[in-house]
Each structure stands twice: as C-alpha cells, then as structure tokens.
Amino acid sequence: MNPSHPTTENRIGSAISIEQHISGPHWEPPTIPNATTYWRCTSCHRESTREQDLHRERFHAPDCEVWP
C-alpha cells in the first residue's frame, strides 16, 4: 500500500479528524466591505469561504496534522 494514496478505510478515519479541525462559520465584522462567512482549519489555520475546501487535502498546508 502506498501511504500517499490512503485506502477508503483510512480516509474514513481521517474524516473524523478533519471534522474536529474545522471551525466556523466565522462572520467578518460588518465594517469590512463585502463581509462574508468563512471556515478555518484549526491545525494549519488556512481559511476559505467554502467549507468544502477544507475537506480537500490540497487545501491544507504541507505540515497540517489533518493529512498525515
């Protein structure tokens, strides 16, 4: 098995970890032009206006503990 291509069982285990590291939605202050909501990975601190981005391995930083 290639560790860079996890099996379905490993991905299911990772999905639990992903959910634990997603925080949001966070609301920007109304004083910011075009204020919106966003989600954040609490491990690598990357943010996106689309929650589904946090479920993609490429979104996270290389050293993020969500995708070992």
Side-chain angles (χ1 to χ4, degrees), residues 19-46:
E19 294 300 323
Q20 293 171 347
H21 286 281
I22 294 176
S23 69
H26 301 281
W27 291 271
E28 292 180 322
T31 56
I32 295 177
N34 300 321
T36 187
T37 58
Y38 62 94
W39 286 260
R40 179 184 301 127
C41 173
T42 59
S43 178
C44 65
H45 306 288
R46 291 195 176 176

Side-chain angles (χ1 to χ4, degrees), residues 3-63:
S4 65
H5 296 95
T7 64
T8 303
E9 294 83 9
N10 289 343
R11 283 206 171 281
I12 291 170
S14 296
I16 294 168
S17 179
I18 292 168
E19 294 300 323
Q20 293 171 347
H21 286 281
I22 294 176
S23 69
H26 301 281
W27 291 271
E28 292 180 322
T31 56
I32 295 177
N34 300 321
T36 187
T37 58
Y38 62 94
W39 286 260
R40 179 184 301 127
C41 173
T42 59
S43 178
C44 65
H45 306 288
R46 291 195 176 176
E47 299 173 346
S48 178
T49 57
R50 298 179 308 194
E51 182 180 6
Q52 63 268 28
D53 286 346
L54 279 77
H55 294 275
R56 296 185 180 104
E57 183 175 2
R58 290 183 294 157
F59 173 82
H60 296 271
D63 62 340

